[in-house]
Amino acid sequence: MINHFTVTIHDDNGVKQFKLHQFVKKAIIYAIAFIALIVFIGIAAILYLNDSVSDIENNILEVQAAYDKLQEKNKKLNKSIQDNQIVLFTKKEEISELSESLKEIENLMGLTPDENTTIEERINTTKMNSQHRRTLLQFIPSGSPIKYQGITSKYGYRIHPTKHTKEFHRGSDLKAAMDTPVYATADGIVEWAGYHKSSGYGKLVILEHNYGFKSYFGHLNKIVVKSNKFVKKGDLIAYTGNTGMSSGPHLHYEIKYIHRTVNPYWFIKWGAENYTEIFEKEKKIPWQSLITATQHIKVHKPTQTLPLSLREVQSKGK
């Protein structure tokens, strides 16, 4: 059995021979095979890594695209936040202005809301209070019954124009030409419509209103309503004249509360613009009790203003 082999090498110096053992031969073959295996594995690894790198690059591109989309969404979100901040700032300014305007209205109405009261609650309170005021102004005499030209004789003691004696004047004599239209100053029922000799008022209309109030319109020339008929605030009831104990054309306007006369001037001036003033001026009426008892009552279709605005009464009546 041959256990070695000869390796011959030719060069310029001649021929050289080397005898190698069979083991060395195997070692060389194994080394070559191992190297070849290493090279194969390396090539396979390189190919695998190339594919992995390609996948990673694709993933990076996808992540970059997702990042770009996220950046775009973030820009839109920031723009939306800025727009909402502008809107919120504008709304805050509007609410502040509304609060100030509401405060002015509350001051006019005599309301003092709590610091913790919300805008919505304040608006509802103001709305309810406004409805209640319209109710009282509809049912209780308010405003001038004729186009206001001034008062010729005030409520209180005076020298009677025909008797020439000192007497208590239970109403206000409103300056008026003959046949000036006279209007109801509140909803009510006609208690009297005709000539009233004993009072000296001549042709007289008496209206009975809610809550104990009555209004008297004296020295009339012509009456256009009948007894026991209902009238609404602003309805035409008569025309001014000079009947009864009168020294000239005018309207005697008188208001009673539970059979007691009150100064009609404050009721002539009374309106939405100076709603609370009468509570201080006219002390004979228990206003707080009246307001509390009527808070649940609402007028669905209140009468509009009388022929004369409150501002005219205030400016001419002073």
Side-chain angles (χ1 to χ4, degrees):
M1 180 177 179
I2 299 172
N3 55 6
H4 66 272
F5 66 95
T6 302
V7 177
T8 303
I9 298 175
H10 297 271
D11 57 13
D12 294 339
N13 297 322
V15 178
K16 294 181 180 179
Q17 292 183 340
F18 299 94
K19 291 182 180 181
L20 301 174
H21 196 274
Q22 188 68 28
F23 175 78
V24 175
K25 177 183 177 182
K26 289 180 180 181
I28 292 172
I29 293 172
Y30 288 150
I32 292 171
F34 179 75
I35 292 170
L37 179 63
I38 293 298
V39 170
F40 175 79
I41 291 173
I43 293 172
I46 290 171
L47 293 175
Y48 174 77
L49 289 174
N50 283 336
D51 289 340
S52 297
V53 168
S54 179
D55 291 340
I56 290 171
E57 289 177 346
N58 290 334
N59 289 336
I60 290 173
L61 292 175
E62 291 177 359
V63 170
Q64 184 65 42
Y67 177 77
D68 291 340
K69 288 182 179 179
L70 185 61
Q71 286 287 89
E72 187 65 26
K73 288 182 179 179
N74 192 42
K75 288 181 180 178
K76 291 181 179 179
L77 181 60
N78 287 335
K79 181 67 167 56
S80 177
I81 290 173
Q82 290 176 354
D83 292 342
N84 287 334
Q85 286 177 337
I86 293 173
V87 171
L88 287 173
F89 179 78
T90 303
K91 293 296 182 184
K92 185 178 180 180
E93 290 292 315
E94 291 176 355
I95 291 174
S96 178
E97 292 177 4
L98 174 62
S99 180
E100 289 300 316
S101 300
L102 189 58
K103 187 176 181 180
E104 292 178 5
I105 295 173
E106 288 168 339
N107 289 336
L108 290 173
M109 289 186 169
L111 300 175
T112 307
D114 187 82
E115 292 181 357
N116 298 323
T117 306
T118 64
I119 291 287
E120 184 179 5
E121 291 173 337
R122 289 170 63 190
I123 290 174
N124 289 335
T125 301
T126 303
K127 184 178 179 182
M128 291 174 60
N129 196 279
S130 177
Q131 290 173 340
H132 181 241
R133 291 179 180 212
R134 288 199 300 269
T135 299
L136 290 187
L137 291 172
Q138 183 77 17
F139 292 153
I140 299 175
S142 60
S144 179
I146 62 173
K147 183 171 178 57
Y148 191 82
Q149 299 295 327
I151 295 176
T152 58
S153 183
K154 297 180 181 180
Y155 174 84
Y157 282 100
R158 66 167 186 175
I159 301 299
H160 195 280
T162 58
K163 294 181 180 179
H164 305 293
T165 57
K166 187 176 181 179
E167 293 184 359
F168 189 85
H169 189 214
R170 295 181 293 180
S172 292
D173 289 345
L174 298 176
K175 184 179 179 180
M178 184 70 76
D179 290 327
T180 298
V182 181
Y183 301 91
T185 51
D187 293 359
I189 186 170
V190 181
E191 179 182 301
W192 179 275
Y195 199 90
H196 200 276
K197 185 176 180 180
S198 61
S199 65
Y201 292 152
K203 290 184 179 180
L204 173 69
V205 170
I206 302 175
L207 299 182
E208 183 173 356
H209 309 288
N210 290 325
Y211 317 124
F213 288 90
K214 286 186 181 182
S215 56
Y216 293 68
F217 308 82
H219 307 303
L220 302 171
N221 184 45
K222 182 181 179 182
I223 297 172
V224 297
V225 291
K226 295 182 179 180
S227 296
N228 302 321
K229 297 295 183 180
F230 287 95
V231 294
K232 290 187 69 63
K233 183 184 180 78
D235 284 353
L236 178 66
I237 59 174
Y239 293 90
T240 59
N242 189 33
T243 59
M245 298 180 66
S246 172
S247 59
H250 70 282
L251 175 68
H252 173 84
Y253 182 52
E254 183 177 321
I255 294 176
K256 287 186 178 181
Y257 174 70
I258 312 181
H259 309 296
R260 293 187 304 171
T261 61
V262 293
N263 190 343
Y265 176 68
W266 304 120
F267 292 84
I268 293 171
K269 285 185 62 180
W270 192 27
E273 296 180 22
N274 66 335
Y275 181 79
T276 59
E277 182 180 349
I278 196 171
F279 304 150
E280 297 296 326
K281 300 296 185 180
E282 183 50 72
K283 300 292 188 179
K284 295 179 182 178
I285 298 169
W287 292 110
Q288 188 59 53
S289 175
L290 176 60
I291 291 170
T292 303
T294 57
Q295 282 182 342
H296 65 288
I297 302 172
K298 295 180 182 179
V299 177
H300 297 290
K301 292 183 178 181
T303 303
Q304 300 303 314
T305 58
L306 288 171
L308 177 68
S309 69
L310 172 64
R311 195 166 296 167
E312 290 178 87
V313 176
Q314 290 176 321
S315 63
K316 293 181 180 180
K318 291 182 178 179

